[in-house]
Amino acid sequence: MELLIARNPDPDSRLPYLLRLPLAGGLVFRTAGTWPRTTALYCYPLSSVDWPEAAEIVERVPLRSCVRRGAAIDLVADRARENRSQLVFTTARGRDAVFWQSPRTRKQARPNVRTPTARAGGVTELEIVVDSHEKYPYRFATQQVRTVRRALPAGDYGLLIDGRLAAAVERKSLPDLVTSLTTGKLRYALADLAALPRAAVVVEDRYSQLFALDKVRPALVADGLAELQIRWPGVPIVFCETRPLAEEWTYRYLAAAHIWAAAEQAALTRIGPLGGDLDHAPAAPEPTTAEVRTWARAHGITVPDRGRLRPDVWDAWRAAH
């Protein structure tokens, strides 16, 4: 038995290699690399007849084992190093997908860590404002957090102190980070964040993945991020490896900002007229109509099930807050 890797003869394909497994008459996939050394490789399944007759073989890997186990195919190569890998049949964003991974890349994708359950900084309950434009927001299910949805002027997750936006965190996946950097949108986003007393950008991936990019020069992205950090040193860009770790970091950051804001207010009370960072915090964004409607009903104010709210309802909400 052997695993065959050939060059993809289709010049328009984004996956430059063909992979053939000695299973079920020959399983054929398009794939992005010759072995999952640094990251899991996406594989696109093909029919066995799509394997070219005069295939340009790049690598032949003798196999000791090629066995299907449930939704995965386990491969054991007949060599001392890089000898184990696995093809996993799964779903990604609602579509069927196949990923070729090794023990190293699997550990990187799911690091063997547990996030702590202790309250950040001893804060009993933290209220985090989630930007209403965030499609798949963090739920903070394992943290002591209460979330509200509003349109934030900057960032995706914010902290309100006395009706002012004191801190915010902008969330980025790696593709979103690269796109916003190359199009120039990230520059404007950091400028908005820098106007807040405290702000940061959290990336749901590892910094090393910048140098595995294939559609843009890695050095261009690395230089761009370095330039942004020099221009706006008060807005750190933090790489947190996975989405759950990025969520945990966001919670801890905003909790620390909450504690800092309390100390800032205490200092302002003692010092007197001297200004502090909180003086530059913008006013809190207006609540959503649904939020005001829920508040009004809880306080015995009659409101319609849908549509606009009367001006006196909004005035009552502002007076109460």
Side-chain angles (χ1 to χ4, degrees):
M1 290 191 301
E2 61 182 3
L3 179 149
L4 297 179
I5 300 172
R7 294 199 181 277
N8 187 356
D10 184 2
D12 298 326
S13 175
R14 297 181 178 180
L15 303 175
Y17 298 100
L18 297 179
L19 169 68
R20 183 171 181 175
L21 303 180
L23 198 66
L27 292 180
V28 180
F29 303 87
R30 291 178 188 156
T31 186
T34 59
W35 190 265
R37 292 180 174 86
T38 59
T39 185
L41 302 177
Y42 172 73
C43 298
Y44 183 81
L46 300 173
S47 171
S48 59
V49 299
D50 292 326
W51 183 264
E53 294 183 1
E56 182 184 351
I57 303 298
V58 175
E59 191 170 351
R60 294 177 181 268
V61 181
L63 298 177
R64 293 204 303 262
S65 175
C66 178
V67 180
R68 176 179 176 179
R69 292 185 173 88
I73 299 175
D74 290 332
L75 302 174
V76 181
D78 189 12
R79 58 191 183 191
R81 301 181 62 183
E82 293 184 342
N83 56 359
R84 292 185 178 273
S85 67
Q86 185 181 60
L87 273 80
V88 180
F89 293 74
T90 182
T91 58
R93 298 181 180 178
R95 298 182 180 180
D96 293 337
V98 181
F99 290 96
W100 187 16
Q101 63 186 19
S102 65
R104 177 186 298 178
T105 57
R106 183 182 180 185
K107 184 176 180 180
Q108 289 174 344
R110 296 185 177 181
N112 188 23
V113 296
R114 286 186 178 180
T115 55
T117 58
R119 296 184 180 96
V123 179
T124 304
E125 185 181 55
L126 185 68
E127 182 178 278
I128 295 178
V129 181
V130 181
D131 185 32
S132 56
H133 298 94
E134 187 81 331
K135 290 185 178 180
Y136 306 103
Y138 295 150
R139 298 182 181 274
F140 301 104
T142 60
Q143 295 95 357
Q144 291 74 29
V145 170
R146 183 168 63 90
T147 60
V148 295
R149 298 275 287 187
R150 295 184 189 175
L152 291 174
D156 297 314
Y157 304 90
L159 174 71
L160 300 181
I161 300 294
D162 289 343
R164 291 179 174 273
L165 185 61
V169 174
E170 176 84 8
R171 179 193 65 84
K172 291 291 184 185
S173 63
L174 186 62
D176 188 20
L177 177 75
V178 174
T179 300
S180 60
L181 176 67
T182 54
T183 59
K185 292 183 179 180
L186 187 59
R187 178 180 295 269
Y188 293 101
L190 259 69
D192 291 337
L193 292 170
L196 301 177
R198 295 293 184 271
V201 177
V202 64
V203 185
E204 300 171 342
D205 217 317
R206 302 181 302 276
Y207 181 75
S208 61
Q209 290 302 105
L210 293 179
F211 305 101
L213 298 171
D214 56 355
K215 294 181 175 57
V216 62
R217 287 195 304 115
L220 177 67
V221 178
D223 288 345
L225 292 177
E227 189 268 333
L228 292 179
Q229 288 288 253
I230 292 297
R231 185 175 294 272
W232 289 286
V235 184
I237 301 175
V238 181
F239 288 81
C240 282
E241 193 167 354
T242 65
R243 180 180 171 90
L245 291 179
E247 178 181 335
E248 178 71 16
W249 187 91
T250 300
Y251 163 62
R252 301 281 165 181
Y253 179 86
L254 293 178
H258 177 85
I259 298 171
W260 161 80
E264 176 89 353
Q265 288 178 322
L268 288 175
T269 301
R270 295 187 181 94
I271 295 173
L274 294 178
D277 289 347
L278 284 177
D279 293 335
H280 305 292
E286 285 284 292
T288 63
T289 302
E291 185 180 352
V292 177
R293 181 179 285 111
T294 302
W295 173 87
R297 287 174 176 168
H299 289 78
I301 302 175
T302 303
V303 292
D305 292 335
R306 60 181 61 186
R308 296 183 178 181
L309 299 177
R310 300 188 308 275
D312 61 289
V313 177
W314 284 96
D315 292 341
W317 186 92
R318 294 188 181 97
H321 292 79

